[in-house]
């Protein structure tokens, strides 16, 4: 409701101030400038004046998208601002105190307002509606000077407010305003109306010539603009139409003709679509039965009946019922001036409006990457997130779907309580929905809440609720994950809701059961009846969109290898060009790529560029881009480029991306696919590396290598296996030192990392083949592709096993499984396991603050980062780690010692990287035991090197 206390004396309970109403309508688009009146500044920068001391008066200018106002002088700045806001409201026809009126008074006011609108005074004033009058006066033919009631209804805010008082149903049936205007005009003798036949009003006596001459400046040039024709029947395609408006023509007549109507008087006009200052509206025919409605009891009118069927596509975008065929155009008279404003509405804009109603689409649009970007299912940090924030998208989703603004409630929980709560929640969660968790878990949502809550100060949880306009609760999301920053809690809760909604829109026919299961995964409870009531209109349209999805698959035979699946093998066939720089992405790093996406026909004969970006950034491993793209960049290093093909996305996406929709449509009529060309420009390391490098010298990774080296020397080990060797940093570094090692082995399940490890080890071992090389003792080296939770007899009986910074990359149960497998089956004499000490993160984060003081974004970032690396599934405190290692050691007859690198054992909060060293307790016949396991070769040899005959196998 648009209400507000008057400025000087608020009689009624204050509701909304003029400023608040302006804020609601325009947000940041309303700009206030307060200026000192007595001493105008010389430098033309009035904003500075308010800094000066001394008693003075203030004046405020308020700039809105279409016009600006300047207040009178006030003693207080805030009064000047309120006054300016009040003036703007008046200009907009919004009367803050209008709710004081009774329906009868409003009716009287309405008649007075219509009378005023047709006055000479109004014609010469500045109002979008007076521009219509002027254009209508220039009209040639029967209708000259007559104004469609629908135009008055859309242009005058005051009239609308009065109608809402007369009948609150106007809010949901805005076309009733047209009826009220017609009825009001019937009562005015100076006007000509014929409500039985047409919806237009004309002055009985023409305007005096001098009034006409002084106000009507003839438009000299014709206007040509593009609009969109949206047929009522879903079978018929949406098409562009051209509107040609001659200097003597009235644009509404032109639109009417395109709709097959005789003139503007038969048209109804919707509210504006999109931003407040937009002139984008739907135009459609007022049916005959609508005309008849004029004669009925208007004060109690319920709704207007339309003869034509509902236009589902138009109504969906508009949020208002549109009947029959319609035209979507951005044209009209505005506050800015008397000239006809117009903008092209293309097929591309239509499809953009359509996809912006879906969370994923809104995100894609905000990134200007409709074909490449995806709404990530998880929010990591503010600095890594690209595109609109989840909260913003959720708010605009609600606006788009005519729901109330989402209600967020965050609560802060002190540290100790939060620990208990998260335990409790965890228990509840497990017992309630253990099954679904397993099914849908993506590794992020199931992160142990206990681990997250451990930290300083309090934690936040956020609850989100969505309500319909009728205040019915549609859904609520109460996540049990705790966040250190309130904002993170809000963003994550918003994202959960968005992800669920997005899943729904992607498969609108999803059975209720599945939708419920999915809701569970996102900690959402929804009310199916209220939910389906609100999204009913999307159903018909979205279903229709799905039909349009092009199912044409391009046969593989025409030389195009399409990536459907994102399995690593699929991507491995892709040709990558350029030398391997070694700088490559890993989960959590920020990538910057240059890309283009084009439609290509069979045999790659024709190509149409759809979308491209010189620099496009995204966070790796979060699902922020289409899966193919993410899978492909994992194969690349900085400076390399590649090209790959995917199947076509839904037609709506293609057309939303296409600048030339006619060309795109021509392509879509024959089988084609999407070609992506990418160059990897930059990789910014995940925060873990940045933090570790900032604080430790030598870097923590180097210190870990040195730690392992010491144990090799002390134990005179001749064989070493590195569990989770990654790209071989430990194995490679070991080659720089003279040791007793003869056999070195690495195991990992990332093929990409392994191939890098193979490359560096191979070149180092061959280069260092001269007898004086430090690593001359090494006789063989092998890299295996396999999971360290699987047994392989070839790894039994090694002197030393290392597992550095690996377990936290596995789910906790898998980490425990690894412990059991390694100590019960592989049984190395010594096993060194390192993992981050969660308690140390505060220090890493604090140091990051001081070292990057100049970047406020970075500050927020480091504070909100819970784990050191986004790929970490958990990080343990010292206590958690000790507990795990001690029990493990006891189970398998090992001893264990604790140590670490970075920081010190004696200083809180301990080492940065905590290390457990397990030693096999000597048992007679230990060697026999291993034979019981028999031969098991679950790992695949990726690369093998022997001093006698170096060879590369793959
Ligand atoms: N140890 C290396 C790499 C650490 S990153 C170093 O210190 O630099 C963690 C590595 O563990 C990744 O390369 C990942 O592929 C690997 N990893 C995670 N789970 C694994 C599993 N189940 N089996 C084998 N490797 C695994
Ligand atoms: Mg790690």
């Amino acid at each position: 409701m648009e209400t507000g206390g008057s400025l000087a004396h608020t009689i009624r309970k204050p509701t909304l101030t003029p400023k608040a109403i302006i804020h609601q309508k325009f947000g940041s688009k309303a700009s206030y400038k307060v200026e000192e009146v007595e001493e105008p500044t010389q430098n033309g920068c009035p904003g500075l004046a308010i800094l000066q001391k001394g008693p003075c008066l203030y004046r405020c200018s308020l700039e809105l998208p279409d016009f600006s106002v300047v207040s009178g002088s006030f003693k207080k700045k805030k009064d000047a601002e309120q006054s300016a806001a009040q003036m703007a409201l008046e200009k907009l026809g919004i009367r803050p105190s209008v709710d004081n009126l009774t329906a009868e008074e409003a009716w009287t006011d309405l008649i007075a307002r219509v009378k005023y609108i047709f006055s000479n005074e109004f014609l010469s004033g500045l109002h979008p509606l007076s521009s219509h009058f002027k254009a209508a006066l220039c009209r040639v033919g029967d209708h000259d000077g007559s104004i469609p009631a629908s135009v008055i209804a859309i242009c005058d805010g005051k009239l609308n407010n009065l109608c809402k008082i007369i009948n609150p149903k106007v809010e949901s049936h805005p076309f009733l305003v047209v009826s009220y205007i017609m009825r009001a005009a019937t009562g005015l003798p100076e006007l000509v109306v014929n409500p039985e036949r047409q919806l237009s009003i004309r002055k009985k006596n023409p305007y005096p010539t001098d009034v006409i001459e002084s106000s009507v400046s003839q438009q000299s040039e014709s206007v040509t603009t593009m609009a969109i024709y949206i047929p009522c029947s879903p079978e018929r395609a949406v098409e562009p139409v051209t509107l040609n408006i001659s200097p003597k023509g009235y644009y509404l007549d032109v639109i009417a003709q395109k709709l097959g109507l005789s003139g503007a008087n038969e048209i109804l006009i919707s509210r504006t679509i999109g931003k407040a200052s937009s002139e984008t509206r739907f135009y459609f025919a007022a049916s005959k039965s609508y005309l008849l409605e004029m004669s009925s009891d208007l004060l109690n009118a319920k709704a207007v009946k339309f003869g034509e069927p509902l236009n589902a596509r138009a109504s969906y975008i508009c949020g208002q019922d549109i009947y029959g065929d319609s035209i979507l155009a951005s044209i009209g008279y505005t506050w800015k001036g008397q000239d006809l404003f117009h903008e092209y509405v293309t097929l591309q804009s239509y499809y953009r409006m359509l996809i912006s109603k879906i969370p994923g689409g809104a995100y894609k649009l905000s990134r200007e990457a409709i074909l490449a970007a995806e709404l990530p299912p998880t929010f990591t940090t503010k600095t890594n997130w690209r595109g609109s924030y989840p909260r913003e998208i959720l708010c605009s989703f609600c606006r788009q779907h005519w729901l109330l603004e989402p209600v967020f409630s965050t609560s802060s929980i002190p540290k100790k309580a939060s620990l208990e709560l998260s335990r409790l929640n965890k228990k509840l969660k497990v017992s309630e929905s253990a099954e679904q968790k397993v099914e849908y878990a993506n590794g992020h949502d199931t992160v142990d809440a206990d681990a997250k809550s451990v930290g300083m100060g309090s934690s936040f949880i956020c609850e989100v609720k969505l309500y319909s306009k009728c205040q019915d609760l549609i859904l609520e999301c109460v996540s049990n994950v705790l966040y250190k920053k309130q904002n993170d809690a809000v963003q994550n809760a918003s994202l959960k809701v968005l992800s669920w909604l997005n899943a729904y829109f992607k498969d609108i026919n999803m059975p209720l059961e599945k939708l419920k299961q999915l809701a569970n995964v996102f900690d959402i409870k929804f009310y199916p009846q209220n939910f389906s009531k609100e999204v009913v209109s999307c159903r018909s349209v979205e279903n229709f969109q799905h039909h349009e999805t092009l199912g044409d698959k391009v046969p593989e035979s025409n030389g195009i290898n399409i990536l459907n699946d994102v399995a690593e093998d699929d991507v491995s066939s892709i040709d990558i060009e350029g030398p391997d720089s070694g700088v490559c992405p890993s989960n959590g790093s920020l990538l910057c790529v240059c890309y283009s996406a084009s439609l290509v026909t069979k045999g790659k004969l024709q190509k149409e560029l759809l979308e491209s970006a010189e620099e496009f950034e995204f966070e790796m491993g979060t699902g922020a881009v289409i899966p193919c793209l993410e899978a492909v960049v994992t194969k690349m290093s900085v400076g390399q480029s590649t090209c790959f093909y995917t199947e076509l996305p839904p037609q709506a996406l293609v057309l939303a991306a296409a600048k030339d929709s006619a060309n795109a449509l021509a392509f879509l009529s024959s089988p084609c696919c999407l070609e992506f060309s990418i160059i990897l420009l930059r990789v910014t390391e995940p925060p873990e590396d940045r933090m570790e490098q900032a604080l430790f010298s030598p870097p923590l990774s180097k210190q870990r290598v040195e730690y392992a080296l010491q144990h090799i020397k002390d134990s005179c080990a001749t064989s070493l296996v590195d569990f989770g060797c990654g790209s071989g940093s430990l194995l490679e570094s070991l080659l720089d030192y003279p040791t007793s090692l003869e056999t070195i082995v690495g195991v990992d399940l990332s093929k990409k990392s392994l191939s890098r490890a193979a490359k560096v080890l191979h070149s180092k071992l061959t280069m260092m083949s001269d007898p004086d090389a430090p690593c001359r003792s090494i006789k063989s080296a092998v890299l295996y592709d396999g999971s360290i939770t699987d047994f392989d007899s070839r790894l039994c009986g090694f002197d030393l096993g290392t597992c550095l910074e690996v377990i936290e990359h596995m789910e906790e149960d898998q980490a425990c499984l690894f412990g059991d497998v390694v100590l019960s089956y592989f049984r190395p004499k010594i096993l060194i396991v390192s993992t981050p000490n969660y308690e140390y993160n505060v220090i890493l984060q604090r140091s990051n603050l001081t070292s990057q003081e100049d970047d406020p974004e970075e500050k927020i970032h480091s504070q909100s980062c819970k784990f050191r690396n986004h790929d970490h599934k958990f990080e343990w405190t010292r206590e958690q780690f000790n507990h795990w290692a001690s029990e493990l050691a006891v189970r398998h007859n090992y001893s264990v010692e604790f140590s670490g690198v970075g920081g010190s054992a004696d200083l809180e909060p301990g080492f940065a990287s905590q290390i457990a060293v397990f030693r096999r307790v000597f048992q007679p016949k230990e060697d026999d035991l291993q034979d019981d396991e028999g031969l098991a070769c679950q790992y695949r040899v990726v690369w093998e090197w022997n001093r006698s005959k170096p060879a590369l196998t793959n």
Side-chain angles (χ1 to χ4, degrees), residues 688 805 808-809 836 869 872:
E688 181 178 27
E805 307 293 294
E808 73 277 6
H809 292 262
N869 183 315
H872 287 178

Side-chain angles (χ1 to χ4, degrees), residues 107 110-112 114 179-188 191 298:
W107 184 242
L110 182 71
I111 295 170
V114 172
S179 318
Y180 286 123
I181 292 171
M182 289 302 292
R183 169 56 67 96
T186 336
L188 292 164
L191 300 180
L298 281 175

Side-chain angles (χ1 to χ4, degrees), residues 428-438 517 520-521 523:
L428 285 176
K429 201 167 163 178
V430 169
S431 54
E432 265 178 10
S433 56
E435 276 180 8
Q436 291 95 320
K437 281 286 165 196
V438 177
Q517 283 184 359
N520 262 333
V521 174
D523 300 310

Side-chain angles (χ1 to χ4, degrees), residues 618-833:
F618 63 94
E619 186 183 357
M620 188 66 191
T622 54
V625 291
I626 55 166
C628 292
L629 181 52
E630 186 157 288
V632 168
V633 290
T634 355
K635 297 271 149 200
M636 302 172 73
S637 65
V638 169
Q640 290 185 321
S641 60
T642 193
C643 182
F644 64 91
Y645 299 87
T646 71
E647 268 185 47
L648 284 187
Q651 182 170 331
L653 290 187
V654 173
L655 291 173
K659 275 165 207 81
D660 188 337
S661 40
N663 265 357
L665 278 168
F667 269 77
L668 295 176
S669 61
S670 62
C672 54
C673 62
L674 215 53
E675 178 191 274
F676 275 92
S677 299
I678 351 173
I679 309 171
L680 181 55
L681 300 175
R682 282 195 303 274
V683 171
T684 314
E685 288 166 341
E688 181 178 27
D689 299 330
R690 252 182 295 166
M691 289 193 283
E692 291 191 351
Q693 274 164 20
L695 203 61
F696 302 100
S697 143
L700 271 192
S701 53
K702 184 112 196 283
Q703 293 192 38
R704 282 191 286 264
V705 171
E706 282 166 3
Y707 188 89
L709 205 61
Q710 195 54 48
H711 279 273
I712 295 168
K713 283 183 179 156
D714 292 352
S715 67
C716 299
T718 60
S719 54
L720 176 140
V721 50
D722 190 21
F723 295 102
C725 62
S727 26
S729 61
L730 173 72
L731 297 176
E732 189 209 346
S733 312
L734 290 178
L735 298 182
D736 294 336
Y737 303 89
T739 61
S740 48
L741 287 176
E742 290 173 9
T743 307
I744 54 170
V745 168
V747 193
D748 205 291
L749 42 60
S750 155
K751 294 180 186 63
K752 189 193 77 178
S753 301
L754 284 170
S755 74
R756 256 166 242 290
K759 256 182 228 168
V760 286
L761 289 179
H762 188 79
S763 66
K764 206 150 185 174
L765 281 166
T766 10
M767 258 168 36
M768 291 186 165
S769 56
D770 74 283
D772 297 329
C775 61
R776 63 188 180 281
S777 65
I778 305 279
K779 289 188 180 135
S780 76
V782 189
L783 291 175
Y784 291 109
D785 171 11
S787 170
I788 56 172
T789 51
D790 289 338
F791 173 67
D792 189 301
S793 55
R794 289 169 292 185
L795 261 59
C796 288
F798 274 64
D799 289 336
L800 192 70
T802 48
C803 183
L804 306 182
E805 307 293 294
V806 174
I807 56 169
E808 73 277 6
H809 292 262
M810 321 202 280
E811 297 296 339
E812 267 184 287
D813 59 338
Q814 292 296 300
C816 295
L817 178 61
F818 161 70
D820 285 324
V821 168
V822 73
L823 295 192
S824 64
Y825 297 137
F826 296 134
R827 293 194 71 73
K829 285 190 185 129
I830 298 174
L831 174 72
I832 302 174
V833 178

Side-chain angles (χ1 to χ4, degrees), residues 213-474:
E213 269 164 19
S214 67
S215 54
V216 178
S217 68
Q218 285 216 350
Q219 187 148 355
S220 54
E221 279 166 32
S222 54
V223 164
T224 301
T225 195
M226 297 295 294
I228 289 295
Y229 192 87
I230 303 174
C232 185
S233 153
E235 266 78 56
R236 287 174 56 202
V238 173
E239 284 172 4
V241 285
T242 309
L243 305 177
N244 280 314
I245 300 124
S246 69
K248 287 221 171 247
Y250 182 36
Y251 78 93
L252 286 172
D253 288 333
V254 177
I255 293 176
Q257 274 151 24
K258 293 280 175 192
L259 286 167
L261 307 170
S262 69
N265 309 333
E266 290 177 41
I267 274 188
L268 284 184
I269 310 171
S270 80
R271 63 181 151 212
T272 58
I273 323 287
K275 52 187 198 300
S277 60
S278 150
E279 271 305 317
T280 311
R281 300 171 187 272
F282 282 95
Y283 297 84
F284 63 105
S287 77
K288 294 284 176 286
S289 61
Y290 180 83
L291 293 176
L292 288 176
E293 199 65 32
M294 294 305 112
S295 49
S296 66
D297 175 12
L298 281 175
L299 272 183
N300 296 306
K302 288 195 180 70
V304 182
K305 286 188 195 70
F306 288 86
E308 294 281 332
L310 192 73
N311 185 325
R313 286 178 289 191
S315 306
Y316 179 52
I317 289 187
C318 187
Q320 198 176 350
D321 290 351
I322 308 289
Y323 295 87
D325 296 345
S326 77
I327 280 179
L328 176 65
S330 179
I331 189 165
Y333 294 102
T334 67
W335 289 98
K336 272 185 204 141
Q338 297 190 31
D339 290 340
L340 183 61
F341 163 87
H342 62 99
E343 265 175 347
Y344 280 18
V345 177
T346 58
L347 268 185
Q348 187 189 32
S349 16
Y350 166 76
Y351 281 101
R352 283 174 175 241
M353 287 179 203
L354 197 64
I355 66 168
S356 72
K357 305 206 61 154
I358 297 167
Y363 179 78
K364 284 162 170 284
L365 284 170
S366 78
R367 292 233 53 193
E368 277 294 324
I370 292 162
L371 302 173
E374 290 279 15
L375 177 70
T378 49
F379 180 86
T380 50
T381 64
K382 254 184 128 171
T383 31
N384 282 14
W385 184 268
R386 295 288 178 276
S388 299
Y389 287 120
R391 185 198 168 124
E392 280 170 43
I393 302 177
L394 186 60
C395 291
S396 74
F397 177 87
C398 291
R399 257 172 262 140
Q400 286 262 23
H401 289 262
W402 316 102
L403 308 175
L404 295 183
E405 289 283 301
V407 179
F408 299 93
S409 26
T410 51
S411 31
S412 105
I413 297 155
K415 185 187 165 193
K416 196 157 170 284
S418 71
L419 255 170
E420 275 151 24
L421 181 92
S422 64
R423 288 229 175 82
L424 188 74
N425 275 335
K426 201 182 156 201
K427 272 185 211 145
L428 285 176
K429 201 167 163 178
V430 169
S431 54
E432 265 178 10
S433 56
E435 276 180 8
Q436 291 95 320
K437 281 286 165 196
V438 177
E439 204 175 315
Y440 291 100
N442 56 12
H444 294 274
D445 290 302
T446 49
V447 164
D448 188 0
D450 284 43
K452 283 199 169 182
S453 65
V454 183
M456 299 293 181
S458 56
S459 305
F460 293 92
I461 48 174
C462 176
E463 184 188 277
V464 189
K465 286 184 178 169
L466 300 193
Y467 291 94
S468 73
K469 275 261 177 339
C470 312
Q471 315 256 357
D472 293 325
L473 185 56
I474 295 170

Side-chain angles (χ1 to χ4, degrees), residues 4-8 17-22 25-26 30 32-33 58-64 66-74 78-97 113 126-127 158 335:
S6 82
L7 187 63
T17 64
K19 228 184 134 181
I21 299 171
I22 290 288
K25 294 214 165 289
F26 295 96
Y32 293 85
K33 272 203 187 101
Y58 297 97
R59 169 164 80 199
C60 174
S61 62
L62 166 58
E63 245 176 78
L64 294 178
D66 291 339
F67 65 91
S68 57
V69 289
V70 181
S71 76
S73 306
F74 290 84
K78 69 168 196 230
D79 285 346
E81 287 180 348
Q82 291 293 1
S83 159
Q86 174 70 48
M87 288 167 78
L89 289 181
E90 273 163 23
K91 209 158 175 178
L92 289 165
I94 298 167
R95 231 166 87 174
S97 53
R113 180 74 186 163
L126 262 182
H127 191 291
K158 266 184 201 166
W335 289 98

Side-chain angles (χ1 to χ4, degrees), residues 455-457 484 690-692 694-696 838-853 858-865 908-909:
M456 299 293 181
K484 274 203 216 159
R690 252 182 295 166
M691 289 193 283
E692 291 191 351
L695 203 61
F696 302 100
Y838 183 77
E839 296 160 89
Y840 202 88
N841 289 5
V842 237
I843 303 213
L844 292 176
Q845 285 157 9
R846 209 184 298 143
S847 89
N848 216 34
L849 282 192
T850 43
S851 65
Q852 278 155 348
E853 200 76 341
E858 196 65 51
K859 262 193 215 176
I860 299 164
H861 172 205
S862 53
Q863 283 173 347
S864 60
C865 178
E908 281 302 309

